[in-house]
Amino acid sequence: MGKKKPPASKPNESQPPNPSSAAWYKIVWRWHFYAGIIFAPFLIILAITGSVYLFKPQIEQALYRDYYTVTPQVERVTPSKLVGQVKELYPDATITKYRPGESDSRSTEISLTSGGESMTVFMDPYTGEKIGELKDKDRIMDKIEEFHGELMVGTVGDRIVELAACWAIVLIMTGVYLWFPKNKNKNKNKSKKKRSLAGILYPRLGKGKQILRRDLHAVPAFWIAAGMLFLIMTGLPWSGLWGSNFQTMATNTGAGYPPSIWSGSAPSSHVMQTKEVAEVPWAAENLAVPNSTISDFTPLPIEDVMYVARSEGIHPSYTISIPQQADGVYTLSAYPPKAQDEATMHIDQYSGAVLADYRYDHYGIVGKAVALGITLHKGTQFGIVNQIFSLLICIGIIFIAVSGLYLWWKRKPDHGLGAPKAPEVDAKKMRLFLLLLIALGILFPLVGLSLIIVWIIDYVIVRRVPAIKTFLNA
């Protein structure tokens, strides 16, 4: 016979003795348990892929050094000639973007689509020779980003990641409640009331394996809770459902685009959005795309657009999206490491007039907060210090997720899931809890939908099938 495991439904030693508080404790513990069991694997995936993506600049520099690096010379080939060279090499392709390069030793990147595939051609701006090509589907870091954001399964994956992120907030909230010190010595003198910080700020090493396992989960979780919450909240604006709705709300509630960014009247709201023609900062994705004034003139060459970028002080890491329609515009997008250097600019393809110039200083308070949050989330705002700090948080997430699963496994009985027993509570005393659930469901729609699904499953299946009810300790 195997060693008998302690009952998983036994409350934590810090559970308060008051019956009402004890019931609350068991409810919170049960929610924390199920959220952890279901979503811990997804949090591990997000933390691992996020850890890798933090170092995208260094990884890509190492992987594509031969493509990125050129030897500076005195004379440069004109951008128009470089584009012409690419057109000769790929006669059936459509040129879509031009990236000059942010330094003298950086190659020029020309993006194109050919045969239904997107690729980047790397050109030496001094010799005009092709260095190499790279298909978008072969970019390793793009695959990591796709796995991080949507598990490489499209919209379904995006919704799963968003759901896991939202439930991670529930995990943090319930975890803090369970961690928070409970004073059980109200009738003793003050000197005895004072509780040791062991098990709160550092683990207890001499109290046995069970307590140590609990502390190795709870204590590190406390130390990284704020950082974990920050990474979640700064990642949500990228999500497909919550992020899109939040972005629309931010744009339409006075936190949108000030008139000063337009050289004339702003386009009507039904026109194309900038995210449809270029990769731009979050705050500019819903910016309306103006039209060029169609005339008999020939579209401006790339070098003239670059001259506008230099004269307007655009960060040198900018990319030029090339118009594909007669009334289209050149779109300059600077998405540099620091949020304060972001810029999105639309330029008339015939006259070179700046039709819209949208920068960090124009952002509303929401746009600035999200922009800063994104660069901090990506680890670019403060360079290597930012990367290391975020990496430590990711490592912490992996550790607490794994330690939580291990804690459950060691306490799990031989038969059953090992979930904490649901207490019998008067429904009238659950109003606050129900209000919290409703608030979470409104704030995070996928959480609300999942709660409804869980309630239906509980009512229709769990309560009516004794074997399942016993297994789940319901």
Side-chain angles (χ1 to χ4, degrees):
M1 292 181 65
K3 183 179 178 181
K4 187 177 179 181
K5 299 179 181 179
S9 58
K10 182 180 178 180
N12 188 289
E13 64 170 18
S14 61
Q15 177 186 336
N18 181 279
S20 177
S21 298
W24 264 102
Y25 189 93
K26 289 181 179 180
I27 292 171
V28 172
W29 189 16
R30 189 172 174 84
W31 279 82
H32 187 77
F33 172 84
Y34 277 114
I37 288 293
I38 295 170
F39 293 107
F42 295 104
L43 294 180
I44 293 171
I45 291 172
L46 290 176
I48 292 174
T49 55
S51 297
V52 176
Y53 195 77
L54 279 170
F55 295 91
K56 176 183 177 179
Q58 292 92 329
I59 293 173
E60 289 198 327
Q61 181 62 39
L63 289 175
Y64 311 126
R65 181 184 301 276
D66 293 340
Y67 289 167
Y68 285 176
T69 306
V70 296
T71 302
Q73 299 181 29
V74 177
E75 297 292 333
R76 281 178 174 263
V77 176
T78 64
S80 294
K81 186 173 181 180
L82 287 178
V83 171
Q85 292 278 76
V86 172
K87 286 182 177 178
E88 288 183 9
L89 293 170
Y90 304 88
D92 298 326
T94 300
I95 308 296
T96 56
K97 297 177 185 177
Y98 185 93
R99 188 179 187 276
E102 60 269 42
S103 68
D104 292 338
S105 60
R106 189 69 154 79
S107 63
T108 294
E109 299 178 25
I110 300 177
S111 299
L112 54 86
T113 57
S114 178
E117 287 188 327
S118 299
M119 69 174 69
T120 299
V121 180
F122 299 87
M123 302 292 289
D124 188 322
Y126 301 100
T127 65
E129 296 178 353
K130 174 185 170 182
I131 302 173
E133 67 179 44
L134 187 62
K135 293 180 180 179
D136 290 356
K137 67 178 183 179
D138 294 332
R139 287 183 178 267
I140 294 175
M141 295 311 296
D142 286 0
K143 293 183 181 296
I144 295 293
E145 182 181 17
E146 185 181 358
F147 196 27
H148 183 74
E150 53 189 44
L151 304 176
M152 300 187 77
V153 289
T155 301
V156 173
D158 174 85
R159 299 299 185 267
I160 293 173
V161 168
E162 181 178 333
L163 183 63
C166 292
W167 271 100
I169 297 173
V170 177
L171 269 170
I172 294 170
M173 294 169 58
T174 53
V176 169
Y177 178 85
L178 296 175
W179 163 89
F180 196 81
K182 311 297 188 297
N183 186 0
K184 300 187 292 182
N185 304 306
K186 291 185 177 180
N187 297 323
K188 297 183 179 181
N189 58 53
K190 287 186 177 181
S191 61
K192 291 185 179 180
K193 276 186 182 180
K194 190 174 180 180
R195 180 171 178 160
S196 169
L197 295 179
I200 301 172
L201 299 184
Y202 58 88
R204 291 163 288 186
L205 302 178
K207 296 289 186 177
K209 292 182 179 180
Q210 185 177 350
I211 290 178
L212 180 61
R213 285 194 292 265
R214 176 264 177 200
D215 287 358
L216 288 177
H217 174 70
V219 174
F222 160 73
W223 283 109
I224 71 158
M228 182 178 175
L229 183 62
F230 178 81
L231 288 181
I232 292 168
M233 295 307 299
T234 53
L236 278 176
W238 290 337
S239 61
L241 183 63
W242 191 92
S244 296
N245 291 331
F246 176 68
Q247 189 177 56
T248 300
M249 182 179 66
T251 302
N252 296 336
T253 56
Y257 315 110
S260 59
I261 72 169
W262 305 101
S263 61
S265 299
S268 58
S269 59
H270 66 276
V271 301
M272 186 179 296
Q273 295 176 328
T274 301
K275 62 185 175 184
E276 299 176 54
V277 299
E279 183 179 354
V280 294
W282 183 89
E285 287 185 345
N286 287 345
L287 179 68
V289 179
N291 294 327
S292 292
T293 303
I294 300 176
S295 66
D296 295 331
F297 296 129
T298 302
L300 293 173
I302 296 292
E303 47 263 38
D304 287 5
V305 182
M306 290 173 58
Y307 174 80
V308 174
R310 287 193 299 269
S311 62
E312 295 293 335
I314 301 294
H315 192 275
S317 64
Y318 69 88
T319 297
I320 301 171
S321 293
I322 300 171
Q324 305 301 316
Q325 305 295 332
D327 60 351
V329 295
Y330 283 111
T331 298
L332 269 67
S333 171
Y335 205 172
K338 295 183 182 297
Q340 293 86 344
D341 296 327
E342 292 181 0
T344 303
M345 183 180 290
H346 293 300
I347 298 174
D348 190 299
Q349 66 169 305
Y350 303 105
S351 67
V354 177
L355 304 178
D357 186 356
Y358 190 43
R359 312 205 191 187
Y360 178 85
D361 289 341
H362 298 125
Y363 297 173
I365 187 170
V366 174
K368 287 181 177 178
V370 172
L372 281 168
I374 287 175
T375 53
L376 287 167
H377 185 100
K378 292 167 61 178
T380 62
Q381 184 69 29
F382 298 111
I384 190 66
V385 174
N386 195 163
Q387 290 174 314
I388 292 174
F389 189 76
S390 296
L391 176 64
L392 291 175
I393 295 174
C394 289
I395 293 173
I397 292 171
I398 296 169
F399 180 81
I400 63 173
V402 171
S403 64
L405 291 173
Y406 180 71
L407 182 62
W408 160 71
W409 184 257
K410 295 299 289 186
R411 301 179 68 174
K412 178 184 176 299
D414 293 332
H415 302 287
L417 183 63
K421 177 68 177 176
E424 297 292 336
V425 183
D426 186 350
K428 293 181 180 180
K429 297 180 180 180
M430 292 288 291
R431 289 177 181 173
L432 178 59
F433 185 68
L434 291 174
L435 287 174
L436 287 173
L437 292 182
I438 293 171
L440 279 171
I442 294 173
L443 186 59
F444 304 107
L446 287 182
V447 172
L449 178 62
S450 65
L451 287 172
I452 293 172
I453 293 173
V454 167
W455 180 82
I456 293 174
I457 293 174
D458 180 67
Y459 185 78
V460 175
I461 300 176
V462 176
R463 295 187 185 183
R464 300 173 188 270
V465 182
I468 297 177
K469 186 175 182 179
T470 301
F471 180 77
L472 296 177
N473 206 15

